[in-house]
Every structure is written in C-alpha cells, then in structure tokens.
Amino acid sequence: MIILKHSAELQAYLHEKRRDGVSIGFVPTMGALHGGHISLLKASRKSCGLTICSIYVNELQFNNQEDYLKYPNLVDTDIMQLEEQDCDVLFLPGDKEIYPEDKDKDRVFDLGHLENVLEGKFRPGHFQGVCKVVARLLEIVQPHKMFLGRKDYQQTLVIRKLAGLLHNKVEIETIPTLRESNGLAMSSRNMRLSEEEREKAALLYKSLIQLSNKILNGTFGEINHELNSAKTSLQQAGFQPDYLEIANPENLLPIDGNYQSEDVVILVAAYLNDVRLIDNLHVAEGA
Ligand code: AMP
C-alpha cells in the first residue's frame, strides 16, 4: 500500500491509473477502523481495480468540540488493517490539503429539508461540514465509485444529493451495517464505551427490531404511541434519546398517521452517558 499525504501527488498517481483504464474505488473515513470500514473496503476491492481509503478527521462536521477532541486517533493500527486488506492507497491529508484556503471552509450546499431533520436537527452544521470535506475529497480523488455505510443512513442521502449538486457522476454504493455479535452497530465511538455499556448499547438495535417486527406482523399501533413507549423503555434503561422516528427511506420525510407500508426506515440517536450512538433499520430490507 502506498501512503500519500499531498493531493497533488495523489492526483498525479491517479491520473496515470485512470489513463490505463483502471476503475477507482474510494472509501472515505475518519479512521479508528473497524469491521464496518473493512466491509466497505472489501466491496471496493471486489468491484474496482484500485481502492483508495482516506483518513481525515474533519473538524467542521463536529458540532460538539469535546466529541472532536475525544475522537480516537489510531493511524498506526489503521495502516496495519489496511495493509491486511490489500488496500492500494491510503490518503492521509492534513488540514491544508483539504482546506487550502479559509474560504474553502465557507462553501454552502443547498441540502433542502434533509439538513434540518433527524441528525441535522440535533447536530446543526454537521451535514454542511460533511459536504465540505466530501466535495473536496471528490475533487481530489475523482473516483468512479464511492462506498458508504448505511449505518449513517441520512449521510448516504446527503452525499447523493451533494453529488447531484456538484454534477459529479460518481457511482455511490451503500453497504449494510456491520454489527457486533450482540447487535450493536460497529462504530469508532464504541471504543469510548465500557464492556457493560457495550452490552447495554445493544438495546438500541433491539428496540429497532421490536418496532420492525410489529410492523411486519401487523401489530404496530398508533405511531406516536409506539415510538413514545419505545423511547420511554430506552430512557428507563439509561439512554437519553435525541430522536426515534419512522421515515420514508427515499427522502426521510416523516410517516404520519396510519402508514400502510413496510417500506419505511426507523432511525434512532441516543446518548449512553456521554457517547452519542446512532442506528437505523430499513424494515422492508431487514437491515
Ligand atoms: P466514519 O469513519 O465513521 O466517518 O465512517 C466512514 C464510513 O464507514 C462511512 O461511510 C460510514 O457510514 C461507514 N461505517 C461506519 N460504521 C459502519 C458500520 N458499522 N457498518 C458499515 N459501515 C459503517
């Protein structure tokens, strides 16, 4: 694996590969790699001639400074994992490569309502920050395909919208959420949980499964009642939920009243002590 820190070097390298007709797969990450990231890399290796992983902890997408400061930095073990996966290139840029000038931090993207619901509502500015870094990475890497995890469901929709706004033809492939054996969605933030908290954190997924099962077996009652009682159970178990909602999987508009369809996504975000966890389940797809 080659490790490049400068965008000019990476662009020169990729220019040659593109000229030789090699398809370029891209997996953007913030490092502290786990099984979820690895499944994205595997998908890229399977369908592209060359796989690039980037590791960059983008301060602009953290609406909470403490969360940013506590974000794990494990570059050495990340490099070992990437080598084990036969990743071709690791792009490890510094701030100046991503935001060469201060004005690059001021770009604004029109994300419509996607920016103001769910994660957007509870993490103001988060998706603008995500778009700034992804727009810049797309500009540098110009991949044929980009691989994103469904664990960050709303982010996948935001990035699709971004690609449209940029008229970028990158093909976006989304990969199912990888989970621990107890159902907890893998996340770099799980490193901040104790053993006991990790066990408890699996309750988030269990509550998604319970709601999904009710929808599938026709015992799901009035929406607000069902969601409020699931939230109360989470609170009683020690979580502080930001939201638990059922939405249209295409656009995340809320589902009101007596919905008829299994084609809905259930999304949750909750704090367990000071660690914020998110998860989701697309009922029709069971993942
Ligand atoms: P992050 O490093 O958290 O920014 O994540 C980088 C990419 O990995 C994003 O596309 C995430 O959605 C994806 N990802 C994170 N956790 C998981 C998981 N448990 N399963 C699958 N993909 C994931």
Side-chain angles (χ1 to χ4, degrees), residues 1-35:
M1 179 174 76
I2 59 171
I3 302 177
L4 298 173
K5 296 190 171 178
H6 300 286
S7 40
E9 287 171 310
L10 179 64
Q11 282 170 315
Y13 176 82
L14 293 177
H15 180 71
E16 302 227 326
K17 295 288 173 188
R18 236 178 260 113
R19 201 192 49 201
D20 295 344
V22 177
S23 60
I24 297 168
F26 180 42
V27 179
T29 80
M30 296 204 297
L33 303 181
H34 51 67

Side-chain angles (χ1 to χ4, degrees), residues 91-115:
F91 182 43
L92 204 53
D95 293 337
K96 280 276 168 251
E97 297 294 321
I98 298 297
Y99 304 114
E101 295 184 43
D102 276 347
K103 69 175 169 45
D104 300 323
K105 295 184 174 176
D106 298 334
R107 291 171 88 172
V108 180
F109 300 91
D110 181 5
L111 302 172
H113 87 281
L114 267 183
E115 187 173 354

Side-chain angles (χ1 to χ4, degrees), residues 27-40 54 56 61 71 146-153 155-156 159 173 175-180 184-190:
V27 179
T29 80
M30 296 204 297
L33 303 181
H34 51 67
H37 299 112
I38 301 300
S39 65
L40 269 58
S54 66
Y56 176 69
Q61 74 188 68
Y71 205 83
M146 177 160 58
F147 297 83
L148 302 174
R150 284 186 222 154
K151 149 105 190 327
D152 297 278
Y153 193 93
Q155 176 170 276
T156 64
I159 293 178
E173 189 170 322
I175 305 297
T177 303
L178 233 86
R179 300 180 178 282
E180 305 287 354
L184 171 64
M186 290 184 183
S187 162
S188 306
R189 288 186 178 84
N190 293 354

Side-chain angles (χ1 to χ4, degrees), residues 4 12 55 69 72 85 89 105-106 116 141-142 160 215 217-218 221 235 248 273:
L4 298 173
I55 297 182
L69 294 173
Q85 295 303 320
V89 182
K105 295 184 174 176
D106 298 334
N116 303 317
V141 179
Q142 295 178 38
R160 278 187 199 283
I215 291 172
N217 67 26
Q235 278 161 341
N248 179 319
N273 300 324

Side-chain angles (χ1 to χ4, degrees), residues 134-275:
V134 174
R136 177 72 178 130
L137 287 168
L138 283 175
E139 205 171 271
I140 299 169
V141 179
Q142 295 178 38
H144 297 96
K145 264 191 169 190
M146 177 160 58
F147 297 83
L148 302 174
R150 284 186 222 154
K151 149 105 190 327
D152 297 278
Y153 193 93
Q154 190 170 4
Q155 176 170 276
T156 64
L157 299 187
V158 163
I159 293 178
R160 278 187 199 283
K161 171 119 192 172
L162 173 73
L165 292 172
L166 298 171
H167 305 292
N168 189 308
K169 296 214 162 39
V170 63
E171 195 182 321
I172 294 177
E173 189 170 322
T174 66
I175 305 297
T177 303
L178 233 86
R179 300 180 178 282
E180 305 287 354
S181 53
N182 67 3
L184 171 64
M186 290 184 183
S187 162
S188 306
R189 288 186 178 84
N190 293 354
M191 289 174 194
R192 290 169 49 199
L193 298 173
S194 66
E195 266 314 301
E196 202 184 315
E197 286 169 331
R198 275 173 183 242
E199 274 315 304
K200 188 179 277 189
L203 276 176
L204 272 190
Y205 182 54
K206 292 192 179 111
S207 58
L208 296 180
I209 293 279
Q210 272 172 10
L211 290 165
S212 167
N213 284 343
K214 284 186 176 184
I215 291 172
L216 292 170
N217 67 26
T219 57
F220 192 87
E222 196 272 324
I223 268 191
N224 287 329
H225 168 76
E226 292 286 359
L227 293 178
N228 285 337
S229 89
K231 264 192 255 180
T232 306
S233 304
L234 287 173
Q235 278 161 341
Q236 283 166 350
F239 290 90
Q240 281 174 277
D242 268 352
Y243 59 80
L244 172 63
E245 285 187 29
I246 297 190
N248 179 319
E250 303 284 322
N251 52 26
L252 293 184
L253 286 171
I255 307 274
D256 295 322
N258 293 327
Y259 75 95
Q260 318 262 314
S261 164
E262 292 166 5
D263 192 17
V264 292
V265 60
I266 316 173
L267 306 106
V268 66
Y271 283 89
L272 189 53
N273 300 324
D274 65 338
V275 183

